[in-house]
Amino acid sequence: MTNHSALPLTASHWGTYRVETRDGRVTTLHGFEEDPDVSPIGSGIVDVLRGPSRIMTPAIRKSWLDHGPGTANERRGRDPFVQVTWEEADQIVADELTRVIHTHGNESIYAGSYGWASAGRFHHAQSQIHRFLNCIGGYVRSVDTYSFAAGEVLLPHVIGNLYVMLTHATSWPSIIDNSNLVVAFGGIPLKNGQINSGGLGRHTQKENLQLALDSGVQIINVSPVQSDLGDDSRIRWLAPWPNTDTALLLGIAYTLFFENRVNQAFISKYTTGYEKFLSYLNGTEDGTAKTARWAAGICGLGEYDILNLAREMSAGRTMISLSWSLTRQDHGEQPFWAGIAVASMLGQIGLPGGGIGFGYSATNSVGDHGSRVPGASLPQGENPVRSFIPVARFVDMLLHPGDQYDYNGQTLTYPDIHLVYWAGGNPFHHHQDINRMLRAWQKPDTIIVNEWCWNSMAKHCDIVLPCTTTLERNDIALSPRDPFAVQMEKAVDPPGHARNDFDIFSGIAKKMGVVEAFTGSRNEEEWLHFIYSQTRQNAKSRGIDLPSYEDFKSNGWTLYPPPKEPAVLFKSFRDDPLNNPLKTRSGKIELFCQTIDRFGYPDCPGHPAWMEPLEWLGNAERESLHLLSNQPATKLHSQLDHGQYSRSKKVDGREPIAINARESCKRNLKSGDTVKVYNERGACLAGLVIDDGIRDGVALMSTGAWFDPDEPGVIGSLCRHGNPNVLTPDKGTSLLGQGPIANSCLVRIEKFEGNAPPVTAFDPPRFCD
């Protein structure tokens, strides 16, 4: 076998690779020698670095260029582009930013710029754009994520900061050695474990899951989709209806109470509000006891399935795993809260292999047994603008400037946005109800993006600035959630006139007179040295000695020493709750939260509760299916959808949609058919796959297909390619969290008749002089 260890390294959210080049071009990405489970996603970049979808030069939408800001906004996505020089682009962007600031103020610039961008601590797109905009007076920012916003807002009230739960999750070795049972609500999706924000050196989720099974740990996948935990015969599959996890957990909680299986000592010492929660369970408030029979009628499961599950969970050391996807439904706060309640009743929180975890294999880092060092990043400076929005309320902000809304106990006002600047993300991937978003997209005077490929975001902007990829610049992967640090060496020159984000913003900053403030009088290499040195100091404060910068660059990577003991979430709290209280109002686990209760939100009471979702099988018409739009296995979000690996898994060029054989027979469909998926919000085409690992009444279609409207610029146009967010509803989880509810979505499916239009998602836009 050829030894590739002498080749330069690069890092990405889906892993670390050795880069082989020939004649100034990347030919192959080889798996990192320390990684036993290399992700194939990385190979997808090789064929598109210089492909037809690559953005080679700055470009401006013709109507905007000819007639100025705010012109023919309805033609975004349809207008041709005009290529311009960097000198022209820098001046145009600088002038437009100056105009908007002088006319409307910095509160009219939105640059939440949500998205994973790329690995690397210096060339991190959000850090770059936020630093730049802070140099010119600030911007409206966003908070929370599309991944688990409801949990991010809820958990600080109930049990503590969610990010502590992720970085200090009970590690797999503790589960392997101590757990009798893992009950995974929403599964443990190994496909998601391919990725890690900021990069990773070694994939461990598959290995650890296998070790757990081999050690005799019983694992139950509680999900409508069997592949959420795999098809190993030792894994038991319990398939409730989507969006009913809260009812199932409440049925388990009632059974634990009714059968005297509650750890009362734990409840008394470590929780508050149990009696109020118990009153709800018993039906004192609404006359309905949340029994296993009650839950079964909601979940589509058998009563004895729920009774037996509760008994099994109380019989030994049990870890409850709650997938991030559970928060992406109407009332998405409730599954997490109900899961915490059940874990509290079992009384194993803080014990090795027991308690609760949030998102095992949602990324590679959750539960990984590795040391954590807070990697330094590019300082962003101070943002003078106080306005912010919950990230999933982006479209509401554009459509309803000046309106008030509720969020986490606050009454806030949507700002009036005139300019949107995006770098490192794609709202045409992650936001729900794209047709509604297209209406909002017409509102701003100007939309600017730094982007490397002509995806749907770039095609719908006014000013497009071509940026580099990780293979075309130097950087360092220093993820605070991974024990590897990797020197990312520039492998090739960028094609055309592409620049890295630092150089893009430096050029604009020079035109605006703030170049010294933005660059900090440092170049790329000086910033990399600074960031590594700061990280080295952070590591030293944790007892970890990192090599010098020169030695690190020479070796290419380093691995932090592993922790001495497996992590156990909330161990210090359990050992000494007085000296190690939780960061909640009471210092304890809040099964009833007085703070949330006082907010008075009708859609989020002060305790875990079942509330009927906006759309689910319980209120579906006969032919409807519940659409789940999960994270894709072949790409990260929409990144590299145009790459060879992602395209190889499509069905006749379109995103696959999976249903089981019974549902396909009802509709006279067969595998490989081009189908139309639709509801009142929109429609798309997809390629049908038959999968009996999906329960009746459910369809599965991953996110990430580039939006490809049949009539560009026309709201409501059929998406040829299969972007599920033309179908999903755009509504907050509750007035508390205001997160996305993509997984509360009903659709219909039928065979597409006639000649299906060709997919054009990966074609560049038209250009003119």
Side-chain angles (χ1 to χ4, degrees):
M1 181 179 291
T2 304
N3 184 359
H4 301 293
S5 61
L7 295 173
L9 285 164
T10 193
S12 66
H13 296 309
W14 40 88
T16 299
Y17 300 85
R18 295 283 181 179
V19 186
E20 185 173 351
T21 62
R22 185 179 299 115
D23 299 327
R25 297 195 175 211
V26 175
T27 58
T28 313
L29 293 188
H30 301 280
F32 182 38
E33 58 269 18
E34 297 294 313
D35 191 353
D37 186 23
V38 177
S39 170
I41 293 175
S43 64
I45 197 170
V46 174
D47 64 310
V48 293
L49 278 174
R50 293 175 177 267
S53 60
R54 188 67 193 263
I55 304 172
M56 298 290 194
T57 191
I60 300 179
R61 185 171 66 89
K62 181 172 175 54
S63 294
W64 192 101
L65 183 64
D66 289 347
H67 303 291
T71 299
N73 290 353
E74 74 282 356
R75 292 188 61 83
R76 287 177 178 141
R78 185 176 10 163
D79 253 352
F81 283 87
V82 178
Q83 294 180 333
V84 298
T85 66
W86 272 114
E87 176 66 23
E88 293 170 316
D90 288 344
Q91 191 64 60
I92 288 169
V93 173
D95 289 346
E96 177 59 0
L97 285 166
T98 301
R99 180 193 73 83
V100 169
I101 291 169
H102 287 173
T103 306
H104 305 289
N106 284 79
E107 294 82 0
S108 67
I109 298 173
Y110 178 69
S113 207
Y114 179 85
W116 275 45
S118 57
R121 297 302 282 180
F122 176 59
H123 291 294
H124 179 247
Q126 283 83 10
S127 297
Q128 294 282 346
I129 188 174
H130 294 162
R131 179 180 173 88
F132 166 69
L133 290 173
N134 285 337
C135 290
I136 60 172
Y139 60 97
V140 174
R141 62 191 172 92
S142 62
V143 298
D144 306 329
T145 68
Y146 282 85
S147 295
F148 40 62
E152 288 174 278
V153 179
L154 172 79
L155 291 190
H157 293 292
V158 175
I159 202 167
N161 185 286
L162 174 60
Y163 290 92
V164 174
M165 320 293 167
L166 305 184
T167 57
H168 294 77
T170 298
S171 60
W172 274 106
S174 180
I175 294 171
I176 292 164
D177 291 341
N178 299 283
S179 298
N180 300 117
L181 176 67
V182 174
V183 184
F185 291 86
I188 299 175
L190 294 180
K191 62 179 177 54
N192 294 13
Q194 295 180 92
I195 63 172
N196 195 58
S197 179
L200 67 137
R202 176 186 172 92
H203 291 88
T204 60
Q205 292 290 332
K206 183 188 294 184
E207 176 183 32
N208 283 319
L209 180 62
Q210 187 68 40
L211 287 170
L213 289 167
D214 291 346
S215 71
V217 178
Q218 298 295 304
I219 300 179
I220 303 176
N221 175 24
V222 184
S223 170
V225 179
Q226 187 177 25
S227 63
D228 276 343
L229 226 166
D231 57 2
D232 190 297
S233 61
R234 294 170 292 181
I235 298 172
R236 290 151 56 191
W237 180 33
L238 197 63
W241 281 357
N243 289 197
T244 63
D245 304 88
T246 299
L248 174 56
L249 285 159
L250 292 173
I252 292 170
Y254 182 90
T255 303
L256 295 176
F257 162 73
F258 187 77
E259 297 187 355
N260 295 316
R261 297 174 181 271
V262 177
N263 186 327
Q264 293 292 345
F266 185 92
I267 291 292
S268 299
K269 187 174 182 179
Y270 298 102
T271 76
T272 184
Y274 177 67
E275 293 302 323
K276 284 185 176 290
F277 172 60
L278 194 59
S279 177
Y280 171 75
L281 273 185
N282 286 328
T284 304
E285 296 181 13
D286 57 12
T288 301
K290 311 309 179 293
T291 65
R293 178 173 296 180
W294 166 85
I298 293 171
C299 300
L301 297 175
E303 177 184 0
Y304 285 95
D305 290 331
I306 300 173
L307 290 170
N308 291 334
L309 180 58
R311 293 163 184 164
E312 190 172 0
M313 291 171 72
S314 65
R317 187 63 56 84
T318 297
M319 170 61 71
I320 296 173
S321 174
L322 301 171
S323 167
W324 296 357
S325 63
L326 301 181
T327 68
R328 298 193 297 270
Q329 60 178 282
D330 203 12
H331 313 299
E333 296 80 7
Q334 301 308 316
F336 272 22
W337 205 349
I340 292 167
V342 170
S344 298
M345 296 170 81
L346 292 173
Q348 298 176 17
I349 292 174
L351 294 177
I356 196 162
F358 301 89
Y360 284 100
S361 202
T363 66
N364 185 70
S365 64
V366 181
D368 182 43
H369 182 63
S371 295
R372 303 289 189 261
V373 172
S377 59
L378 178 70
Q380 297 181 20
E382 182 71 22
N383 184 359
V385 175
R386 300 294 95 189
S387 295
F388 71 90
I389 61 163
V391 66
R393 302 276 60 79
F394 164 62
V395 165
D396 284 349
M397 173 186 69
L398 295 182
L399 289 176
H400 304 293
D403 282 9
Q404 291 188 329
Y405 67 100
D406 290 294
Y407 168 72
N408 196 19
Q410 305 169 76
T411 300
L412 303 171
T413 302
Y414 288 124
D416 189 5
I417 299 299
H418 288 263
L419 185 146
V420 172
Y421 201 146
W422 220 284
N426 180 7
F428 284 81
H429 154 69
H430 59 242
H431 200 81
Q432 286 65 58
D433 197 347
I434 285 178
N435 285 309
R436 184 172 186 260
M437 189 180 82
L438 286 171
R439 289 193 290 274
W441 205 250
Q442 296 179 5
K443 195 269 176 185
D445 300 345
T446 301
I447 303 176
I448 308 171
V449 68
N450 295 1
E451 185 55 78
W452 72 279
C453 52
W454 283 109
N455 58 22
S456 43
M457 171 69 175
K459 291 177 184 177
H460 284 81
C461 286
D462 300 312
I463 301 174
V464 181
L465 305 179
C467 64
T468 57
T469 71
T470 52
L471 293 166
E472 299 155 353
R473 60 196 184 218
N474 296 305
D475 213 328
I476 306 175
L478 291 168
S479 172
R481 302 182 183 92
D482 192 76
F484 282 84
V486 178
Q487 166 73 14
M488 301 165 62
E489 187 175 340
K490 179 180 176 180
V492 292
D493 290 326
H497 300 282
R499 291 178 173 177
N500 63 55
D501 290 296
F502 181 67
D503 288 342
I504 290 173
F505 290 121
S506 294
I508 301 167
K510 184 176 182 180
K511 297 292 185 182
M512 300 185 75
V514 294
V515 66
E516 293 299 321
F518 173 70
T519 64
S521 300
R522 292 188 176 103
N523 60 26
E524 176 187 77
E525 174 59 22
E526 291 166 334
W527 271 115
L528 292 175
H529 196 166
F530 170 83
I531 288 169
Y532 184 83
S533 298
Q534 292 293 309
T535 302
R536 196 178 180 205
Q537 291 180 24
N538 295 341
K540 194 170 186 63
S541 69
R542 298 190 173 205
I544 296 175
D545 290 323
L546 296 184
S548 69
Y549 182 59
E550 292 72 21
D551 288 345
F552 168 68
K553 288 183 65 177
S554 176
N555 191 58
W557 61 276
T558 191
L559 173 65
Y560 312 145
K564 294 179 181 178
E565 299 291 336
V568 177
L569 184 62
F570 299 122
K571 180 181 185 302
S572 61
F573 169 63
R574 186 181 186 109
D575 290 346
D576 189 350
L578 292 179
N579 289 314
N580 301 298
L582 300 180
K583 295 186 182 300
T584 61
R585 182 189 61 82
S586 64
K588 297 183 176 184
I589 300 168
E590 303 215 352
L591 303 183
F592 173 84
C593 179
Q594 193 174 80
T595 301
I596 293 177
D597 187 63
R598 286 174 176 170
F599 293 160
Y601 295 149
D603 54 3
C604 190
H607 54 74
W610 161 255
M611 289 165 282
E612 187 173 338
L614 175 72
E615 295 180 16
W616 68 301
L617 292 174
N619 63 13
E621 296 179 359
R622 187 163 176 260
E623 294 301 317
S624 294
L625 294 168
H626 193 128
L627 178 67
L628 295 175
S629 47
N630 64 354
Q631 294 302 311
T634 61
K635 49 188 173 279
L636 169 58
H637 305 144
S638 65
Q639 292 190 49
L640 297 185
D641 186 40
H642 59 324
Q644 177 272 333
Y645 181 65
S646 176
R647 295 175 79 159
S648 72
K649 304 299 182 180
K650 294 182 185 289
V651 179
D652 197 23
R654 304 179 208 278
E655 194 67 21
I657 187 167
I659 57 177
N660 68 31
R662 290 178 295 276
E663 296 294 351
S664 66
C665 287
K666 289 179 187 177
R667 294 162 178 81
N668 197 27
L669 299 172
K670 65 181 185 300
S671 185
D673 280 347
T674 296
V675 295
K676 178 181 176 182
V677 191
Y678 63 97
N679 59 22
E680 69 276 9
R681 287 178 289 272
C684 66
L685 300 183
L688 190 69
V689 172
I690 307 301
D691 183 353
D692 286 333
I694 296 174
R695 74 150 293 153
D696 291 350
V698 175
L700 179 68
M701 187 179 187
S702 294
T703 61
W706 289 5
F707 177 58
D708 188 21
D710 196 37
E711 299 178 79
V714 176
I715 295 171
S717 179
L718 173 79
C719 176
R720 300 176 174 189
H721 191 203
N723 186 318
N725 275 328
V726 301
L727 306 162
T728 53
D730 184 13
K731 171 190 171 297
T733 50
S734 75
L735 298 176
L736 180 78
Q738 293 286 8
I741 65 164
N743 285 328
S744 295
C745 179
L746 295 176
V747 300
R748 293 193 174 198
I749 298 178
E750 62 185 34
K751 185 173 182 178
F752 184 80
E753 301 295 344
N755 295 322
V759 173
T760 58
F762 308 132
D763 295 346
R766 294 184 297 118
F767 292 93
C768 64
D769 296 330

